[in-house]
Amino acid sequence: MRTSPVMNCVVALMESPRKTEADTPTEAGSNASTDAFNSYVLPELPVLYRTARSLSRSDADAEDLVQDTLLRAFRAIDRFDGRYPRAWLLTILRNTNINRARKKKPDLLNDPEATFERSQDFAEHTGPEEIVLEPIFETVVLDAFDQLPEKFSSVVRMVDLEGKSYGDTAAALGIPVGTVMSRLHRARKRIRDEISAQGLDSTEAVLAGGGDVLFGANDDSGDGDANRNNNNRGGL
Amino acid sequence: MGLFSIFKREKNLNCNEVLEVLQSYLDGETDETVARQVSGHLSLCVNCEPESVIYQRIKTTIAVGGSDIDETVLSRLEVFTQRVSTGQIVVPTDLEG
Ligand SMILES: [Zn+2]
């Protein structure tokens, strides 16, 4: 499998040992896969929804995206070995999102035939467990944001979410402007350090990843390769 | 805005000085002079420019995805998950292609 040099943050390459069975997706769930699915998915719903929201234009779109992701995930559950459920689900979410963006904006792609082929590949051989997983910038940021102590997160929330000035934030919290600034610095530094820890801070990763994930259309790098790869595997 | 009066006179900022005011710059809290000095530095500096891109994207990500999740959405998704897991909802054909 070819990997791009910007994917310097490979979490895992999950390869199913049961490759032949994998090509016949199960429709209805056995009790075992019902329990497994619930145990993988339920704890990750908040992170899935938040990531979806950062990739979608509206909350309704985000909810739709999560639902499509869950349907795809369940179809692939027999091929998932249970390691890294979050990364597995986020990879499916990312691919689902890219696939949707392609369908919505086919005109943005230069070669309609290649597009058609790729979406066929994706549909027929959805093998997200075989894709090299990378952490998603947005997820890492939102996770790190969630883990900030309240006195830091409140400052970030007011400035970035509510668009308050430093002065208004200071007034709202009853602290000096200098304290607002130092908390903001420390809070963002923590988030930024997590970006580094996940290997997401090379410029290419940030810029390329951002473009692809946010706008979804002009993606000819990692996921395209992964899809072609799945196609090859499917033919084995 | 007396905070950055040290930078008031036109001068070239070094990387440390830029990184010190970068957050305020991204938040639109620097005065015009400092903003101009910072953006001038960023356009030329291979160290600071990527930092500003990352921090800007952190800001944007939080602005878009950081608000609290509506509990009713979460419970709808939980119900949906359970329905999927018991085969009550299967992949519709329009998802296939
Ligand atoms: Zn610099």
Side-chain angles (χ1 to χ4, degrees):
Chain A
M1 171 174 276
R2 285 193 297 136
T3 54
S4 143
V6 298
M7 288 188 194
N8 52 356
C9 41
V10 174
V11 175
L13 174 62
M14 299 180 189
E15 211 165 315
S16 168
R18 296 167 292 150
K19 205 173 290 169
T20 43
E21 293 170 29
D23 288 324
T24 42
T26 43
E27 287 301 334
S30 62
N31 284 334
S33 55
T34 296
D35 291 347
F37 188 72
N38 284 321
S39 74
Y40 299 143
V41 170
L42 290 174
E44 306 299 344
L45 283 176
V47 82
L48 284 175
Y49 180 63
R50 292 200 132 170
T51 304
R53 206 164 48 174
S54 73
L55 301 176
S56 303
R57 283 180 175 76
S58 71
D59 286 2
D61 273 358
E63 197 173 342
D64 267 7
L65 175 56
V66 174
Q67 291 186 347
D68 286 358
T69 301
L70 298 178
L71 288 167
R72 284 181 177 281
F74 188 64
R75 203 173 56 169
I77 185 99
D78 288 347
R79 287 169 276 161
F80 175 53
D81 65 4
R83 285 183 299 161
Y84 310 112
R86 173 178 291 192
W88 176 67
L89 290 164
L90 287 170
T91 300
I92 299 174
L93 183 130
R94 189 208 316 253
N95 287 335
T96 305
N97 185 51
I98 289 169
N99 217 36
R100 292 173 130 209
R102 278 193 187 127
K103 274 188 222 165
K104 279 182 197 159
K105 296 184 185 174
D107 52 308
L108 285 181
L109 290 141
N110 298 328
D111 181 353
E113 275 188 1
T115 309
F116 179 73
E117 249 171 56
R118 269 203 306 257
S119 67
Q120 289 297 101
D121 288 354
F122 189 89
E124 286 165 28
H125 305 286
T126 311
E129 71 283 11
E130 291 171 321
I131 289 168
V132 178
L133 301 173
E134 358 156 37
I136 298 177
F137 187 95
E138 282 73 16
T139 312
V140 173
V141 169
L142 295 174
D143 250 13
F145 174 60
D146 277 346
Q147 282 162 28
L148 291 174
E150 172 61 23
K151 71 174 185 175
F152 292 105
S153 64
S154 57
V155 173
V156 176
R157 188 175 301 115
M158 286 185 186
V159 172
D160 285 337
L161 261 170
E162 299 168 15
K164 282 193 171 72
S165 67
Y166 290 177
D168 289 350
T169 303
L173 294 171
I175 55 176
V177 170
T179 308
V180 168
M181 291 169 69
S182 69
R183 285 187 189 172
L184 205 51
H185 280 219
R186 287 170 66 187
R188 289 180 179 157
K189 182 68 168 47
R190 277 201 203 183
I191 297 172
R192 201 249 169 280
D193 286 347
E194 199 49 40
I195 299 290
S196 297
Q198 303 279 337
L200 280 170
D201 58 355
S202 81
T203 322
E204 296 108 305
V206 170
L207 292 172
D212 288 346
V213 170
L214 281 174
F215 304 111
N218 59 344
D219 169 76
D220 279 316
S221 54
D223 294 279
D225 283 349
N227 289 345
R228 273 191 287 279
N229 234 312
N230 287 340
N231 191 31
N232 293 340
R233 285 168 189 282
L236 285 178
Chain B
M1 220 348 91
L3 282 166
F4 304 112
S5 51
I6 180 178
F7 298 123
K8 274 269 162 66
R9 281 178 45 212
E10 287 288 348
K11 63 166 193 150
N12 292 326
L13 303 184
N14 66 35
C15 292
N16 283 335
E17 288 168 328
V18 166
L19 293 178
E20 205 151 294
V21 296
L22 182 62
Q23 304 302 321
S24 306
Y25 168 77
L26 294 174
D27 292 330
E29 294 270 348
T30 51
D31 64 33
E32 268 179 42
T33 312
V34 176
R36 201 165 49 236
Q37 289 167 333
V38 172
S39 73
H41 181 100
L42 292 178
S43 66
L44 297 171
C45 181
V46 295
N47 298 315
C48 297
E49 200 272 340
E51 280 305 296
S52 93
V53 170
I54 289 175
Y55 276 112
Q56 181 56 56
R57 198 164 157 209
I58 289 173
K59 273 177 67 68
T60 308
T61 300
I62 290 170
V64 177
S67 57
D68 290 336
I69 300 176
D70 185 347
E71 285 300 322
T72 60
V73 175
L74 264 192
S75 21
R76 271 205 303 275
L77 287 173
E78 276 166 19
V79 170
F80 187 87
T81 302
Q82 274 149 1
R83 289 207 182 131
V84 170
S85 75
T86 51
Q88 291 174 59
I89 304 177
V90 294
V91 183
T93 42
D94 71 327
L95 255 182
E96 301 274 355

